[in-house]
């Protein structure tokens, strides 16, 4: 049974959330608003996605499947100051300059940010209306911290240690494991040992995230992006190997680590949950599935576990007056496999099927809540074209793009001006095969498979404008806000 003080604090939090939800509900009646969360695990293309979304709305994208846009019912789109004065603004102008003018991928953002987009449109009945789209950009690693709110230090330690002994994590955790074995949880508090243990544990997490292994379940997320909390006690702890059924001695190393773990939840995880996550109406989760495929089936299974944890974090369901006031929830969630332009179009359906398999268990549970969940393979910015390349008597479905400066392959360093043809291989027709072994991906040249390409030049549109090329980006927009523009 939770302590009385914990229960009171939880009730106070719920009361504060309900009060704010009531205020926001009244505001939304006067100014209809969709608060859209966009997140993605490392290198999933979150900054590019948001930049392309805003550019397409502002400048006129090629969106035949985005109903209100294709029908000519969107009259005007403009940017406005974001609603939360204590949250940084998404730096759209610098990101689009990098993408379009300099033709380089914009720098990744490592903190939460917001951007407000105002859409003036005509409804299906002819009425003039306005929708406010508040885009909330946050690192996916923060999302994977949310399960910690319901987890004790002892349970988190046990799960972290167990996971670290699995392949391929065990080899990456060797240095931390030696420190773990030498640490006595019952010993008096030792600040230097805590610092050393946290450093080794962080190095292990960072090694797991490397492209060669592409692990996804890596909480605590702020260990990999500490920001202004670097060096603080709230980020200076690590799991311990604890004896079963033992009582935590006061003033012990164990007690200090547990206290700091709780501080991490109080000062890092909980504020994000209360101030941002619970306020989301809809959510897009970007997934770099190709990196996991290339790293092998262990990475694929780890990604599947991460996606299940992510969906379990969402408070999802059909939005009603009562749910809006007392239990805010997201009514639509889109999982998007990014970088579809790294594959020939003949493999896009297979990529979608694999991602659908990854989230199937969680989506089955979500159906009963009334929420809508969709899965799509897309490229917010398409950096390649397709080509057929002869190999003997065969013609291989390949992709053609301009390799980014500094990329290497076969001992060759590209200068950013060279076009390269790549046969990326074929994904399996059976989605389950990708979970079993690396060869199932059909990848014959791992180094070329994930060669980074330069962003493309703008394409001319039928209306005489210029737009970023994409793959199925309009389908994603239709799912996530199309119903709000009817």
């Amino acid at each position: 049974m939770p302590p009385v003080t914990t229960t009171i604090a939880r009730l106070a939090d719920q009361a504060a959330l309900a009060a704010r939800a009531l205020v926001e509900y009244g505001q939304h009646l006067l100014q209809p608003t969709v608060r859209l969360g966009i997140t993605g695990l490392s290198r999933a293309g979150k900054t590019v996605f948001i930049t392309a979304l805003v550019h397409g709305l502002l400048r006129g994208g090629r969106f035949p499947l985005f109903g209100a846009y294709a029908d000519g019912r969107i009259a005007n789109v403009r940017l406005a100051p974001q609603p939360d004065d204590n949250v940084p603004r998404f730096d759209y102008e610098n990101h689009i300059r990098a993408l379009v003018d300099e033709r380089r991928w914009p720098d990744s953002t490592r903190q939460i940010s917001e951007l407000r987009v105002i859409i003036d449109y005509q409804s299906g009945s002819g009425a003039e209306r306005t929708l406010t789209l508040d885009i909330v950009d946050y690192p996916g690693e923060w999302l994977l911290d949310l399960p910690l709110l319901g987890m004790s230090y002892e349970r988190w330690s046990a799960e972290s240690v167990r996971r670290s002994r699995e392949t391929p994590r065990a080899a990456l955790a060797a240095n931390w494991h030696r420190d773990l074995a030498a640490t006595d949880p019952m010993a008096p508090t030792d600040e230097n040992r805590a610092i050393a243990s946290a450093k080794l544990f962080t190095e292990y997490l960072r090694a797991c995230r490397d492209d060669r292994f592409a692990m996804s379940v890596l909480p605590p997320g702020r260990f990999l992006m500490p920001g202004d909390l670097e060096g603080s006690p709230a980020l200076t702890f690590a799991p311990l190997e604890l004896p079963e059924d033992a009582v935590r001695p006061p003033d012990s190393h164990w007690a200090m680590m547990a206290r700091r773990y709780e501080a991490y939840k109080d000062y890092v995880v909980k504020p994000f949950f209360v101030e941002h996550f619970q306020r989301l109406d809809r959510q897009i989760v970007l997934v770099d599935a190709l990196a996991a495929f290339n790293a092998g089936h262990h990475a694929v299974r780890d990604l599947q576990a991460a996606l299940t944890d992510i969906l379990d974090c969402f408070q999802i369901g059909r939005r009603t007056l009562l749910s809006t006031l007392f239990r805010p929830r997201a009514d639509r969630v889109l999982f998007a496999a990014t970088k579809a332009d790294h594959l020939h179009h003949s493999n896009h359906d297979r990529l979608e099927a694999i991602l659908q398999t990854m989230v199937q268990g969680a989506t089955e549970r979500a159906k009963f809540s009334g929420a809508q969940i969709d899965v799509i393979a897309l490229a917010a910015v398409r950096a390649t074209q397709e080509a057929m390349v002869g190999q003997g008597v065969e013609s291989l479905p390949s992709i053609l793009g301009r390799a980014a400066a500094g990329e290497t392959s076969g001992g060759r360093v590209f200068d950013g001006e060279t076009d390269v043809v790549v046969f990326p291989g074929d994904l399996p027709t059976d989605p389950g095969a990708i979970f079993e072994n690396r060869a199932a991906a059909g990848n014959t040249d791992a180094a070329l498979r994930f060669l980074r390409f330069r962003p493309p030049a703008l394409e001319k549109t039928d209306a005489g404008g210029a737009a970023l090329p994409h793959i199925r980006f309009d389908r994603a927009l239709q799912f996530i806000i199309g119903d709000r523009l009817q």
Side-chain angles (χ1 to χ4, degrees), residues 186-266:
M186 306 297 186
T189 58
D190 186 336
E191 181 68 29
N192 289 329
R193 177 163 286 280
I195 292 172
S197 297
K199 181 175 181 292
L200 291 170
F201 181 63
T202 302
E203 289 174 354
Y204 150 69
L205 295 179
R206 188 171 291 114
C208 287
R209 192 175 63 173
D210 186 274
D211 285 344
R212 294 170 295 171
F213 308 102
M215 296 286 106
S216 300
V217 182
L218 301 171
R222 291 291 182 93
F223 276 43
L224 296 175
M225 45 182 67
D228 57 2
L229 290 174
E230 187 167 9
S232 68
L235 264 64
T236 310
F237 65 92
L240 291 171
E241 202 152 27
L242 301 169
E244 292 185 13
D245 301 324
V247 177
R248 183 198 307 166
D251 301 322
S252 64
H253 194 69
W254 176 2
M256 180 177 71
M257 290 294 205
R259 185 175 65 252
R260 292 181 174 185
Y261 169 82
E262 293 298 330
Y264 181 84
K265 294 198 296 183
D266 288 341

Side-chain angles (χ1 to χ4, degrees), residues 303-440:
L303 176 59
Q304 182 180 32
L307 294 177
T308 299
D309 289 346
I310 284 172
L311 193 49
D312 286 347
C313 287
F314 289 119
Q315 293 182 339
I316 57 177
R318 185 179 296 107
R319 295 182 69 83
T320 64
L321 174 60
L322 289 178
S323 73
T324 300
L325 293 180
F326 300 108
R327 189 174 174 82
R329 58 182 62 178
D331 60 353
R332 294 197 178 199
V333 180
L334 175 68
F335 287 94
T338 59
K339 305 179 184 178
D341 57 333
H342 285 55
L343 293 169
H344 191 269
H345 78 270
S346 57
N347 278 271
H348 291 174
D349 288 346
R350 299 179 187 184
L351 179 58
E352 279 190 17
I354 292 169
L355 183 56
Q356 180 69 58
T357 300
M358 285 183 173
V359 300
Q360 185 173 3
T363 54
E364 287 295 327
R365 294 192 295 275
K367 287 180 180 178
F368 297 100
S369 70
Q372 294 189 44
I373 297 175
D374 199 6
V375 171
I376 186 172
L378 58 74
V381 176
R382 180 175 186 165
T384 66
Q385 298 176 345
E386 295 190 346
M388 298 299 291
V389 176
Q391 180 174 318
V393 296
E394 288 187 281
S395 292
L396 300 179
S398 304
I399 56 175
L400 167 68
R402 182 154 295 182
E407 287 293 293
T408 61
S409 177
R412 183 182 181 186
V413 181
F414 294 102
D415 59 3
E417 303 297 331
T418 304
D419 290 333
V420 181
V421 178
V422 178
F423 170 59
D426 290 320
L427 296 177
T429 54
D430 174 14
I434 203 74
F435 297 88
E436 302 305 326
N437 58 71
R438 181 172 183 169

